[in-house]
Protein backbone atom coordinates (compact mmCIF):
# COMPACT_ATOMS: atom_id res chain seq x y z
CA UNK A 1 0.00 0.00 0.00
CA UNK A 2 2.83 2.41 0.83
CA UNK A 3 4.37 1.78 -2.60
CA UNK A 4 1.05 2.43 -4.35
CA UNK A 5 0.51 5.66 -2.41
CA UNK A 6 4.01 6.86 -3.27
CA UNK A 7 3.46 6.13 -6.96
CA UNK A 8 0.14 7.98 -6.89
CA UNK A 9 1.77 11.00 -5.31
CA UNK A 10 4.55 11.04 -7.91
CA UNK A 11 2.10 10.74 -10.84
CA UNK A 12 -1.11 12.43 -9.73
CA UNK A 13 -2.16 13.46 -13.25
CA UNK A 14 -2.22 9.96 -14.74
CA UNK A 15 -5.84 9.36 -13.87
CA UNK A 16 -6.87 12.52 -15.74
CA UNK A 17 -5.17 11.76 -19.06
CA UNK A 18 -8.28 10.31 -20.69
CA UNK A 19 -10.59 12.91 -19.19
CA UNK A 20 -8.44 15.72 -20.59
CA UNK A 21 -9.40 14.75 -24.16
CA UNK A 22 -12.56 16.30 -25.61
CA UNK A 23 -15.61 14.17 -24.91
CA UNK A 24 -17.46 15.45 -28.03
CA UNK A 25 -16.95 14.71 -31.72
CA UNK A 26 -16.09 17.34 -34.28
CA UNK A 27 -18.47 18.12 -37.12
CA UNK A 28 -16.14 16.34 -39.53
CA UNK A 29 -15.97 13.20 -37.34
CA UNK A 30 -19.76 13.12 -37.18
CA UNK A 31 -19.91 13.35 -40.97
CA UNK A 32 -17.42 10.50 -41.34
CA UNK A 33 -19.49 8.38 -38.94
CA UNK A 34 -22.62 9.09 -41.00
CA UNK A 35 -20.76 8.14 -44.17
CA UNK A 36 -19.60 4.87 -42.60
CA UNK A 37 -23.16 3.99 -41.65
CA UNK A 38 -24.45 4.97 -45.10
CA UNK A 39 -21.76 2.98 -46.90
CA UNK A 40 -22.40 -0.08 -44.70
CA UNK A 41 -26.14 0.09 -45.37
CA UNK A 42 -25.62 0.61 -49.11
CA UNK A 43 -23.29 -2.38 -49.40
CA UNK A 44 -25.67 -4.65 -47.46
CA UNK A 45 -28.59 -3.40 -49.56
CA UNK A 46 -26.71 -4.02 -52.82
CA UNK A 47 -25.79 -7.53 -51.65
CA UNK A 48 -29.46 -8.21 -50.83
CA UNK A 49 -30.62 -6.97 -54.25
CA UNK A 50 -27.97 -8.95 -56.15
CA UNK A 51 -27.75 -12.17 -54.09
CA UNK A 52 -31.29 -12.56 -52.75
CA UNK A 53 -33.64 -10.66 -55.06
CA UNK A 54 -31.39 -11.40 -58.06
CA UNK A 55 -31.79 -7.96 -59.58
CA UNK A 56 -29.18 -7.16 -62.26
CA UNK A 57 -26.83 -4.24 -61.60
CA UNK A 58 -27.55 -0.96 -63.38
CA UNK A 59 -25.56 -0.43 -66.60
CA UNK A 60 -22.30 1.30 -65.79
CA UNK A 61 -22.25 3.22 -69.07
CA UNK A 62 -25.94 4.13 -69.04
CA UNK A 63 -25.26 7.71 -68.00
CA UNK A 64 -23.15 8.98 -70.90
CA UNK A 65 -25.81 11.57 -71.60
CA UNK A 66 -27.10 14.36 -69.42
CA UNK A 67 -28.90 14.46 -66.96
CA UNK A 68 -27.26 11.80 -64.83
CA UNK A 69 -28.60 10.34 -61.59
CA UNK A 70 -32.39 10.63 -61.04
CA UNK A 71 -33.12 12.83 -58.06
CA UNK A 72 -29.66 14.42 -58.04
CA UNK A 73 -29.23 18.06 -58.91
CA UNK A 74 -26.78 18.74 -61.71
CA UNK A 75 -23.32 19.59 -60.43
CA UNK A 76 -21.83 22.95 -61.25
CA UNK A 77 -20.47 22.92 -64.79
CA UNK A 78 -22.59 19.99 -65.98
CA UNK A 79 -24.44 20.18 -69.26
CA UNK A 80 -25.17 18.28 -72.46
CA UNK A 81 -22.14 16.60 -74.08
CA UNK A 82 -20.24 18.50 -76.73
CA UNK A 83 -18.94 17.01 -79.97
CA UNK A 84 -17.10 13.69 -79.86
CA UNK A 85 -13.77 15.52 -80.17
CA UNK A 86 -14.52 17.79 -77.22
CA UNK A 87 -16.40 15.32 -75.06
CA UNK A 88 -14.76 13.97 -71.92
CA UNK A 89 -15.85 10.71 -70.34
CA UNK A 90 -15.24 10.50 -66.61
CA UNK A 91 -16.15 8.25 -63.71
CA UNK A 92 -17.66 9.83 -60.62
CA UNK A 93 -18.87 8.66 -57.21
CA UNK A 94 -22.27 10.18 -56.47
CA UNK A 95 -22.26 9.44 -52.73
CA UNK A 96 -20.99 7.09 -50.02
CA UNK A 97 -21.86 3.44 -50.50
CA UNK A 98 -21.26 0.43 -52.71
CA UNK A 99 -20.15 0.03 -56.29
CA UNK A 100 -23.56 1.11 -57.55
CA UNK A 101 -22.59 4.63 -56.51
CA UNK A 102 -19.99 4.70 -59.31
CA UNK A 103 -21.24 6.01 -62.65
CA UNK A 104 -19.72 6.96 -65.99
CA UNK A 105 -20.56 10.49 -67.16
CA UNK A 106 -20.03 12.63 -70.22
CA UNK A 107 -20.99 16.14 -69.24
CA UNK A 108 -17.88 18.27 -69.49
CA UNK A 109 -14.81 19.04 -71.57
CA UNK A 110 -12.21 18.04 -68.93
CA UNK A 111 -11.73 17.39 -65.22
CA UNK A 112 -9.23 18.68 -62.65
CA UNK A 113 -8.09 18.14 -59.08
CA UNK A 114 -9.29 20.12 -56.09
CA UNK A 115 -6.09 22.20 -56.14
CA UNK A 116 -7.20 23.70 -59.47
CA UNK A 117 -10.92 24.09 -58.81
CA UNK A 118 -10.44 27.77 -58.01
CA UNK A 119 -9.20 28.26 -61.58
CA UNK A 120 -12.43 26.79 -63.00
CA UNK A 121 -15.34 28.26 -61.03
CA UNK A 122 -14.94 25.94 -58.05
CA UNK A 123 -15.77 22.70 -59.88
CA UNK A 124 -13.87 19.57 -60.89
CA UNK A 125 -15.75 19.68 -64.18
CA UNK A 126 -14.50 22.13 -66.80
CA UNK A 127 -17.55 22.56 -69.06
CA UNK A 128 -16.00 24.04 -72.22
CA UNK A 129 -12.54 24.14 -73.85
CA UNK A 130 -10.11 26.64 -72.37
CA UNK A 131 -8.85 29.03 -75.05
CA UNK A 132 -5.77 30.10 -73.07
CA UNK A 133 -4.41 27.70 -70.51
CA UNK A 134 -3.39 29.37 -67.21
CA UNK A 135 0.37 29.37 -66.42
CA UNK A 136 1.81 26.09 -65.26
CA UNK A 137 -1.09 23.93 -66.44
CA UNK A 138 -1.24 21.06 -68.93
CA UNK A 139 -4.19 19.42 -70.71
CA UNK A 140 -3.65 15.67 -70.76
CA UNK A 141 -5.51 13.31 -73.07
CA UNK A 142 -5.60 10.52 -70.54
CA UNK A 143 -4.93 6.97 -71.72
CA UNK A 144 -4.67 5.15 -68.36
CA UNK A 145 -5.30 5.69 -64.67
CA UNK A 146 -4.68 3.48 -61.66
CA UNK A 147 -7.00 2.44 -58.84
CA UNK A 148 -5.67 2.93 -55.32
CA UNK A 149 -7.01 1.96 -51.90
CA UNK A 150 -7.60 5.66 -51.28
CA UNK A 151 -10.21 5.62 -54.05
CA UNK A 152 -12.11 2.93 -52.16
CA UNK A 153 -11.93 5.05 -49.01
CA UNK A 154 -13.40 7.94 -51.01
CA UNK A 155 -16.34 5.74 -52.03
CA UNK A 156 -16.85 4.79 -48.39
CA UNK A 157 -16.91 8.48 -47.51
CA UNK A 158 -13.85 8.26 -45.25
CA UNK A 159 -11.20 10.22 -47.18
CA UNK A 160 -10.73 13.55 -45.41
CA UNK A 161 -9.50 15.78 -48.24
CA UNK A 162 -12.22 14.45 -50.56
CA UNK A 163 -14.89 15.45 -48.07
CA UNK A 164 -13.32 18.79 -47.15
CA UNK A 165 -12.42 20.08 -50.60
CA UNK A 166 -14.79 18.41 -53.08
CA UNK A 167 -17.78 16.66 -51.51
CA UNK A 168 -20.34 14.74 -53.59
CA UNK A 169 -20.33 13.91 -56.41
CA UNK A 170 -16.58 13.48 -56.81
CA UNK A 171 -14.35 12.32 -59.64
CA UNK A 172 -11.59 10.31 -57.91
CA UNK A 173 -8.20 9.23 -59.19
CA UNK A 174 -4.61 10.30 -58.52
CA UNK A 175 -2.49 8.60 -61.19
CA UNK A 176 -2.71 9.46 -64.90
CA UNK A 177 -0.75 8.74 -68.06
CA UNK A 178 -1.32 9.92 -71.61
CA UNK A 179 -0.47 12.46 -74.28
CA UNK A 180 -0.23 16.23 -73.86
CA UNK A 181 -3.06 17.89 -75.77
CA UNK A 182 -2.21 21.50 -74.86
CA UNK A 183 0.07 23.26 -72.41
CA UNK A 184 0.87 26.73 -71.11
CA UNK A 185 4.10 28.12 -72.62
CA UNK A 186 5.94 28.05 -69.28
CA UNK A 187 5.47 24.30 -68.69
CA UNK A 188 8.15 22.95 -71.03
CA UNK A 189 5.66 20.50 -72.56
CA UNK A 190 4.22 20.48 -76.07
CA UNK A 191 1.40 18.58 -77.79
CA UNK A 192 1.99 14.83 -78.26
CA UNK A 193 4.50 14.57 -75.40
CA UNK A 194 4.00 11.26 -73.56
CA UNK A 195 3.69 11.98 -69.83
CA UNK A 196 2.55 10.46 -66.57
CA UNK A 197 1.99 11.86 -63.09
CA UNK A 198 -0.55 12.88 -60.47
CA UNK A 199 -3.66 14.94 -60.01
CA UNK A 200 -5.41 15.68 -56.72
CA UNK A 201 -8.56 13.74 -57.73
CA UNK A 202 -10.09 13.95 -61.20
CA UNK A 203 -7.90 11.23 -62.72
CA UNK A 204 -10.78 8.89 -63.65
CA UNK A 205 -11.27 10.84 -66.85
CA UNK A 206 -10.36 10.82 -70.52
CA UNK A 207 -9.13 14.43 -70.37
CA UNK A 208 -7.45 15.94 -67.31
CA UNK A 209 -6.04 19.39 -66.57
CA UNK A 210 -3.19 19.24 -64.06
CA UNK A 211 -0.07 21.10 -63.01
CA UNK A 212 3.12 20.57 -64.99
CA UNK A 213 4.94 20.16 -61.66
CA UNK A 214 3.08 16.88 -61.17
CA UNK A 215 4.03 15.37 -64.53
CA UNK A 216 7.07 13.56 -65.94
CA UNK A 217 7.86 12.15 -69.36
CA UNK A 218 7.11 8.45 -69.83
CA UNK A 219 10.36 6.47 -70.20
CA UNK A 220 11.05 5.04 -73.62
CA UNK A 221 9.42 1.65 -74.09
CA UNK A 222 7.06 1.95 -71.11
CA UNK A 223 3.32 1.62 -71.70
CA UNK A 224 0.80 4.13 -70.39
CA UNK A 225 -0.75 1.39 -68.25
CA UNK A 226 2.57 0.68 -66.55
CA UNK A 227 3.35 4.38 -66.10
CA UNK A 228 -0.03 5.03 -64.47
CA UNK A 229 0.78 2.47 -61.77
CA UNK A 230 3.85 4.38 -60.58
CA UNK A 231 3.08 7.78 -59.00
CA UNK A 232 0.94 7.19 -55.89
CA UNK A 233 2.43 3.80 -55.03
CA UNK A 234 6.03 4.91 -55.57
CA UNK A 235 5.48 8.22 -53.78
CA UNK A 236 3.94 6.45 -50.79
CA UNK A 237 6.86 4.01 -50.63
CA UNK A 238 9.44 6.81 -50.84
CA UNK A 239 7.62 8.78 -48.14
CA UNK A 240 7.58 5.72 -45.87
CA UNK A 241 11.28 5.05 -46.51
CA UNK A 242 12.18 8.68 -45.79
Amino acid sequence: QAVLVAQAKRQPALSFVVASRPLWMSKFEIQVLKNQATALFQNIWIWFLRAVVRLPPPPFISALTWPTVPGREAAKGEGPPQTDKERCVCVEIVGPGGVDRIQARSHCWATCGYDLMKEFDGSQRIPTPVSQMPPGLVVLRNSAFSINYADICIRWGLYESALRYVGWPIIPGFDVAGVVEAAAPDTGYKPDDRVYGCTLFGGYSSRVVTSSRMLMRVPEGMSFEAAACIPAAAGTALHAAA
Side-chain angles (χ1 to χ4, degrees):
Q1 288 180 342
V3 171
L4 291 175
V5 170
Q7 288 178 342
K9 287 182 178 180
R10 286 198 301 269
Q11 299 175 337
L14 286 179
S15 60
F16 299 99
V17 170
V18 176
S20 65
R21 297 184 60 189
L23 299 180
W24 59 88
M25 297 177 67
S26 68
K27 184 178 180 180
F28 177 77
E29 290 172 330
I30 293 173
Q31 183 61 54
V32 168
L33 188 61
K34 288 181 179 179
N35 289 340
Q36 286 178 312
T38 301
L40 178 62
F41 172 79
Q42 289 277 349
N43 278 290
I44 293 174
W45 179 245
I46 290 170
W47 169 84
F48 176 77
L49 292 178
R50 304 290 175 265
V52 180
V53 183
R54 301 291 182 180
L55 285 179
F60 176 68
I61 308 296
S62 65
L64 288 184
T65 57
W66 180 86
T68 54
V69 179
R72 178 174 74 82
E73 293 183 3
K76 188 174 183 179
E78 288 188 353
Q82 293 89 11
T83 64
D84 288 341
K85 182 179 180 181
E86 294 178 344
R87 186 174 65 180
C88 163
V89 178
C90 61
V91 177
E92 71 178 20
I93 302 172
V94 299
V99 293
D100 283 21
R101 308 295 280 169
I102 303 173
Q103 294 291 329
R105 306 276 181 245
S106 181
H107 50 43
C108 59
W109 170 74
T111 62
C112 67
Y114 70 80
D115 57 324
L116 301 181
M117 286 169 55
K118 61 182 181 297
E119 299 278 354
F120 303 106
D121 296 326
S123 175
Q124 278 192 288
R125 300 152 194 82
I126 306 171
T128 56
V130 179
S131 57
Q132 186 172 1
M133 191 56 53
L137 300 188
V138 172
V139 182
L140 175 69
R141 192 67 184 178
N142 201 20
S143 296
F145 61 81
S146 67
I147 300 175
N148 293 290
Y149 180 66
D151 303 329
I152 299 173
C153 292
I154 292 172
R155 178 167 57 82
W156 288 339
L158 308 182
Y159 206 83
E160 181 174 355
S161 56
L163 294 175
R164 289 191 187 277
Y165 304 125
V166 182
W168 309 110
I170 181 173
I171 302 164
F174 295 104
D175 302 330
V176 293
V179 175
V180 172
E181 194 172 278
D186 63 341
T187 62
Y189 292 109
K190 63 183 186 303
D192 297 329
D193 282 347
R194 300 174 75 249
V195 297
Y196 73 106
C198 290
T199 176
L200 299 181
F201 310 138
Y204 286 20
S205 173
S206 59
R207 182 184 285 111
V208 181
V209 176
T210 188
S211 169
S212 62
R213 297 182 299 104
M214 303 175 76
L215 295 175
M216 295 183 67
R217 286 180 169 79
V218 176
E220 191 69 30
M222 179 177 287
S223 68
F224 288 131
E225 292 80 5
C229 294
I230 296 174
T236 302
L238 288 172
H239 179 74

